[in-house]
Amino acid sequence: MVALPGENTPAEPSSYDDDGKPGFFARWFYSTNHKDIGTLYLIFGIISGLIGGFLSFMMRMELADPGIQFFTNEHQYLVYVSMHGLIMIFFMVMPALIGGFGNWFVPIMVGAPDMAFPRMNNLSFWLLPTALICLLISFVVPGNANGNGFGGSWVMYPPLSTTGHPGPAFDFIIIGLLAEGFSSIFGAINFITTILNMRAPGMTLHKMPLFAWSVLVTAFLLLLALPVLAAALFMLFTDRIAGGTGFFDPARGGDPQMFQHLFWFFGHPEVYIMILPAFGIVSHIVSTFSKKPIFGYLGMAYAMVAIGVVGFVVWAHHMYTVGMDVDLKAYFLAATLVIAVPTGVKIFSWLATMWGGSIRFTIPMQWALAFIFLFVVGGVTGVMLANAGVDAYLHDTYYVVAHFHYVLSMGAVFGIFAGFYYWFGKMFGVMYNKWLAAAHFWLFFIGVNVIFFPQHFLGLNGMPRRYVDYPEEFAIWNAVSSYGAWITLAGVAFFFLMLIEALILNRKRVGDNYWGEGATTLEWTLSSPPPYHQFNTLPRIEDNAEH
Amino acid sequence: MRSKNTIIALAVAIVLAVISYVILAFVGLSGERGMGVPADNGFYLQDSATPVMDDLTKVYNLVTYIISGIVAFVLGLMAYIMIRYREKANPVPSKTSHHVGLEVAWTIIPVLILIVIAIPSMNLLYKQDVIKDTEVTIKAVGNTWNWAYTYPDHENVEEIISNPLDETQSKEAGKPYLLATDAAVVVPVDTNVKVLVTSINNMHSWTVPSFGIKMDAVPGIINETWFRANREGTFYGQCSEICGIKHYYMPIEVKVVSKAEYARWIANDGSFTTSVANNNSILGGGKTAAQK
């Protein structure tokens, strides 16, 4: 469909509504349009976020006081823990960042009319609700003798996930995650092809916006890591069949630790899959609201490549206590510390981008600044946990919980909200109410810090993860953490008030480039929302153009 | 002008880093520490009872100073930038987007910092992991949901099944609920003790924070670790690998006694009843359940 120069091209539609759109059902259910699919992904991410958030809120309520409050069947608590992890990672963060913003803005940023494989894009999305339904079914079918659901944590280690959960609940999770895996692999193929083949004339890789770079690196990580997860899940699946295989069963010559290696060979790149797109988004926001080009563009792009590459050779730092050879632990210790270097390059480059700038503290900029600071906090505790010796104390304590929520719940999620507010007008054509948005930001910012900072203390004092009840020495900091859950809940309420106000009640229209001078990527040359099919004539990127 | 800004920003950042050190020294790293138990509402590591945990605490403190300094430094720079370069104060942005010296600096300096961290960290790792000549061996077997201990060198000591005490039993025994068990594993003080850890079903993890050890119990694999307790007393830990519904309810209790007492305990087939008159059966060895 790419119009060649000199060919007769249809008149450029001036707005979203001019172009022929199919009817409601065909548009949203058969959709092959990257922007509609992106919107579907975002809606899906919000729904999953509500489910996952509800699970974590119930966990926090249970832990507010010593003793068992709500989960008289402790198995149910472990089910909540497990499903919170799986749903937030696979059905909230990944769909929102990669499926949502990736679909919406990667084609536009590289100057392409759509994704390379629009029908596969449709398949990628619709596999996800299927997968989520499988996970939700697992809540209500038997897990083991103790009740319904799977309570073996998102890491799914055997034998707890094989002989420990003989019921069908875990089979539904395996099927759901396999479907999710295929969805992500198709998505990754689509992004890689789009970015490598469909860039507009003059858009060399070294001129490509950093968000497109981040999605490119992420797509490669997905493509390499997810098949390993699929294999590991499939091995679990056949292990679970009576008289089946014994890959992870020591009684039949198998090795339960092999699953951990396979899982974390996927699992560690997975954490970069979740954070790299957020890096890309934050780069654009910092540059836009400092009214400066990004500092050290090439360094930023290749830092992400470096993080992606090194991310594949550090997986066993999740497994320091399994009884590995000491030299192996020493290697993983050293390799893990190395990741701090490209991460530091990114942090300091963001600061240098702001240096000398003319900074506007808009809502997306507030999320981005909070992202930078909180990601540093979460990143440095990662340096602590990389120390295999100290990890013998901290492994599987709340210190780890605090660490990865700082980088995900405050890293990836703040990146999502930053991008959401940055592109809100571009995607929906209307502007949010900044007071509601500010209330959302501040309540959320305070809330998550109150939740997760005290969890460092709990971990240092020795409280292990995935405990439904705890000795009363841990009471105060758990109580504080649970108050934080209420504050965060209030923040989420303002998020939905903001959505209702902006999308239904007020509908204040915005112009093409409502952020003004600093916003230089291609999406700001289009209307808000962009035409249903953009770039009927491909844009040309000048040689001297900035990134 | 530019160099003046740089100096002020660095000064702000360094002042914040120093403040963070003061806070750490007087608050963060001087919190109350429980010996063998979590401190009441504590926010610091449990107290050390082994040389490995001494070193672990030192590495933890060193790394905490470094990372807190980094966080405070970044916060200081951000605060300065946000004030000095806000739109009102600096309406015309610069267009600088490259500075080779800076980019080299923020690559090299973190590498140097990481080397400072890596050296003591490696020393700790090898000290912790390489097992010394040990005089006593205990074997901890994870089960759903309790720990079973045996003494491979002393067949006269029966297997100790260590079950958690419920809330009323803990109160009666004056021990912390969710940490206390009905039968502790007994080891001598100032002795290198080898711990063999395995499991007969799900994975578990044998942990004693005050000893600085944590070792996964994996079915089909026998893991080894060691400790050398330098004081007598009771030390608690909690299972640290998810193992099913009672994951929170299979604590670890280690009783460290004098060498003489340990010798008597062994000679007495794993019982204190003749040597320690006032010890009730809950504190005793493996036969307590039967003796009751």
Side-chain angles (χ1 to χ4, degrees):
Chain A
M1 282 305 173
V2 174
L4 297 171
E7 199 178 336
N8 277 342
T9 54
E12 191 82 15
S14 59
S15 88
Y16 197 60
D17 297 315
D18 283 3
D19 218 330
K21 285 195 287 280
F24 177 83
F25 190 82
R27 179 176 171 196
W28 293 107
F29 288 81
Y30 302 163
S31 183
T32 53
N33 181 296
H34 74 101
K35 293 183 284 290
D36 285 350
I37 292 177
T39 304
L40 287 171
Y41 265 111
L42 287 174
I43 295 169
F44 180 81
I46 291 172
I47 293 170
S48 307
L50 281 177
I51 301 171
F54 164 77
L55 298 173
S56 61
F57 188 78
M58 289 307 292
M59 279 145 56
R60 253 354 299 166
M61 290 305 103
E62 170 59 51
L63 295 172
D65 296 295
I68 292 175
Q69 272 74 239
F70 306 108
F71 293 93
T72 41
N73 177 1
E74 303 101 316
H75 173 73
Q76 217 54 44
Y77 178 82
L78 296 178
V79 172
Y80 275 42
V81 171
S82 315
M83 301 306 278
H84 166 71
L86 290 170
I87 288 175
M88 284 302 202
I89 290 167
F90 290 106
F91 298 95
M92 195 275 278
V93 173
M94 284 169 63
L97 278 176
I98 306 164
F101 298 131
N103 261 307
W104 250 103
F105 294 106
V106 165
I108 298 180
M109 280 182 166
V110 302
D114 203 313
M115 295 285 280
F117 307 115
R119 290 194 185 89
M120 190 162 81
N121 207 7
N122 175 294
L123 177 64
S124 288
F125 174 73
W126 284 104
L127 277 170
L128 269 188
T130 320
L132 183 63
I133 288 167
C134 286
L135 260 78
L136 295 179
I137 290 173
S138 96
F139 268 105
V140 293
V141 298
N144 58 21
N146 300 311
N148 291 339
F150 172 66
S153 162
W154 88 286
V155 299
M156 307 174 282
Y157 289 170
L160 190 56
S161 59
T162 52
T163 53
H165 282 82
F170 187 60
D171 296 308
F172 275 103
I173 289 181
I174 291 180
I175 294 165
L177 291 183
L178 286 173
E180 197 284 337
F182 280 115
S183 157
S184 296
I185 290 169
F186 293 152
I189 294 169
N190 222 337
F191 281 120
I192 292 172
T193 316
T194 307
I195 293 171
L196 294 186
N197 287 330
M198 293 179 65
R199 296 191 310 280
M203 173 72 77
T204 61
L205 277 178
H206 283 178
K207 285 186 190 229
M208 196 167 71
L210 283 172
F211 180 63
W213 261 106
S214 74
V215 172
L216 180 65
V217 177
T218 304
F220 273 105
L221 296 186
L222 283 167
L223 198 62
L224 295 171
L226 276 163
V228 179
L229 174 71
L233 286 172
F234 202 73
M235 288 157 94
L236 274 185
F237 192 75
T238 56
D239 263 23
R240 289 164 53 78
I241 299 166
T245 55
F247 293 116
F248 310 125
D249 178 6
R252 287 184 282 167
D255 180 359
Q257 285 181 354
M258 187 172 78
F259 178 83
Q260 300 186 19
H261 282 288
L262 292 173
F263 180 83
W264 286 114
F265 187 80
F266 144 79
H268 197 76
E270 173 69 20
V271 304
Y272 296 117
I273 287 166
M274 288 188 277
I275 201 67
L276 285 177
F279 282 175
I281 291 171
V282 166
S283 294
H284 288 290
I285 293 173
V286 166
S287 157
T288 296
F289 297 110
S290 306
K291 299 199 194 111
K292 273 184 67 191
I294 195 79
F295 187 95
Y297 165 84
L298 278 183
M300 289 291 252
Y302 284 100
M304 288 193 286
V305 175
I307 291 172
V309 171
V310 183
F312 268 104
V313 293
V314 297
W315 73 90
H317 65 217
H318 298 268
M319 306 165 51
Y320 281 142
T321 62
V322 301
M324 257 190 301
D325 182 80
V326 64
D327 296 329
L328 211 51
K329 283 200 262 191
Y331 158 72
F332 280 108
L333 193 172
T336 305
L337 289 180
V338 167
I339 289 194
V341 177
T343 314
V345 167
K346 296 205 71 78
I347 300 285
F348 289 116
S349 296
W350 285 322
L351 295 182
T353 304
M354 290 190 277
W355 186 272
S358 181
I359 302 173
R360 275 188 298 158
F361 297 98
T362 57
I363 300 293
M365 187 63 168
Q366 292 176 21
W367 285 99
L369 290 169
F371 169 95
I372 295 171
F373 178 63
L374 297 175
F375 191 80
V376 171
V377 176
V380 295
T381 53
V383 171
M384 175 70 83
L385 290 166
N387 289 282
V390 181
D391 190 67
Y393 187 99
L394 295 173
H395 180 81
D396 254 21
T397 66
Y398 263 80
Y399 194 89
V400 178
V401 178
H403 158 69
F404 69 73
H405 280 96
Y406 261 85
V407 286
L408 292 180
S409 181
M410 287 115 145
V413 173
F414 274 49
I416 291 172
F417 281 127
F420 195 76
Y421 283 107
Y422 182 59
W423 285 313
F424 190 87
K426 184 52 67 182
M427 291 189 291
F428 307 121
V430 293
M431 186 44 93
Y432 52 82
N433 177 301
K434 68 176 176 182
W435 296 109
L436 291 174
H440 171 214
F441 168 73
W442 283 104
L443 286 169
F444 205 89
F445 177 78
I446 295 167
V448 288
N449 277 295
V450 173
I451 295 176
F452 293 112
F453 203 78
Q455 294 188 357
H456 291 113
F457 304 154
L458 291 171
L460 292 171
N461 204 12
M463 180 168 165
R465 298 167 69 179
R466 302 160 180 149
Y467 268 35
V468 66
D469 193 7
Y470 50 82
E472 51 192 37
E473 284 81 0
F474 302 120
I476 292 270
W477 295 122
N478 268 305
V480 171
S481 180
S482 293
Y483 288 128
W486 285 102
I487 302 174
T488 311
L489 182 70
V492 174
F494 274 98
F495 174 66
F496 284 96
L497 287 177
M498 180 284 294
L499 284 181
I500 293 167
E501 196 276 342
L503 294 177
I504 298 170
L505 299 180
N506 201 348
R507 298 198 60 79
K508 189 173 72 180
R509 311 293 303 187
V510 290
D512 293 3
N513 185 357
Y514 50 89
W515 296 130
E517 190 187 334
T520 54
T521 40
L522 280 174
E523 75 267 30
W524 306 108
T525 64
L526 300 171
S527 59
S528 302
Y532 198 59
H533 299 290
Q534 76 272 3
F535 301 141
N536 286 348
T537 309
L538 291 181
R540 286 192 168 275
I541 314 311
E542 302 303 325
D543 282 350
N544 56 356
E546 282 164 2
H547 324 294
Chain B
M1 184 63 199
R2 172 162 295 163
S3 62
K4 192 182 134 203
N5 286 336
T6 314
I7 290 164
I8 298 173
L10 285 176
V12 171
I14 289 166
V15 166
L16 269 186
V18 170
I19 292 173
S20 84
Y21 286 169
V22 174
I23 294 173
L24 276 181
F26 290 99
V27 184
L29 301 182
S30 62
E32 197 192 333
R33 312 176 69 180
M35 177 56 84
V37 288
D40 216 9
N41 306 321
F43 47 84
Y44 188 33
L45 300 171
Q46 290 184 25
D47 213 344
S48 164
T50 64
V52 166
M53 185 60 189
D54 289 343
D55 286 12
L56 194 153
T57 310
K58 278 179 205 151
V59 176
Y60 169 80
N61 289 349
L62 170 75
V63 178
T64 303
Y65 274 117
I66 291 173
I67 65 180
S68 304
I70 291 169
V71 170
F73 185 80
V74 171
L75 183 65
L77 283 182
M78 276 183 80
Y80 178 79
I81 290 170
M82 284 160 65
I83 294 166
R84 172 66 187 82
Y85 295 110
R86 68 189 193 278
E87 199 174 22
K88 263 185 196 156
N90 193 40
V92 183
S94 83
K95 290 288 165 202
T96 317
S97 66
H98 299 280
H99 190 295
V100 175
L102 260 181
E103 292 182 65
V104 170
W106 66 48
T107 309
I108 301 292
I109 294 172
V111 170
L112 298 178
I113 293 175
L114 290 173
I115 291 170
V116 171
I117 293 175
I119 291 168
S121 176
M122 290 288 181
N123 287 339
L124 168 66
L125 175 64
Y126 278 87
K127 178 169 179 175
Q128 185 180 50
D129 209 277
V130 178
I131 297 171
K132 301 268 167 61
D133 290 335
T134 50
E135 298 150 64
V136 172
T137 303
I138 60 173
K139 185 177 177 190
V141 181
N143 193 1
T144 44
W145 285 267
N146 59 31
W147 292 95
Y149 300 102
T150 48
Y151 290 75
D153 303 330
H154 303 285
E155 288 184 350
N156 62 325
V157 179
E158 274 186 40
E159 188 180 42
I160 299 172
I161 306 290
S162 191
N163 276 307
L165 295 180
D166 69 23
E167 214 162 349
T168 29
Q169 288 171 328
S170 315
K171 272 207 185 94
E172 280 167 19
K175 292 166 138 197
Y177 173 52
L178 294 173
L179 295 170
T181 67
D182 61 358
V185 61
V186 178
V187 294
V189 73
D190 292 329
T191 311
N192 290 345
V193 178
K194 184 192 282 185
V195 192
L196 305 175
V197 188
T198 187
S199 165
I200 57 169
N201 42 39
N202 294 337
M203 285 203 291
H204 307 273
S205 191
W206 200 80
T207 313
V208 182
S210 277
F211 295 171
I213 63 174
K214 181 171 288 158
M215 186 49 79
D216 284 4
V218 185
I221 292 170
I222 296 179
N223 280 330
E224 282 184 335
T225 185
W226 72 283
F227 65 86
R228 182 188 179 87
N230 52 23
R231 65 182 68 210
E232 296 175 30
T234 306
F235 300 86
Y236 297 103
Q238 293 174 291
C239 177
S240 296
E241 184 61 68
I242 184 168
C243 57
I245 184 165
K246 296 290 179 191
H247 172 46
Y248 73 103
Y249 200 52
M250 51 177 294
I252 293 119
E253 181 176 353
V254 182
K255 193 171 164 61
V256 181
V257 298
S258 69
K259 285 181 179 173
E261 206 171 344
Y262 177 75
R264 278 201 298 280
W265 185 81
I266 290 289
N268 207 15
D269 298 346
S271 169
F272 286 116
T273 40
T274 52
S275 57
V276 187
N278 59 354
N279 242 344
N280 63 32
S281 63
I282 282 170
L283 286 176
K287 291 183 195 165
T288 50
Q291 285 162 352
K292 264 196 273 185

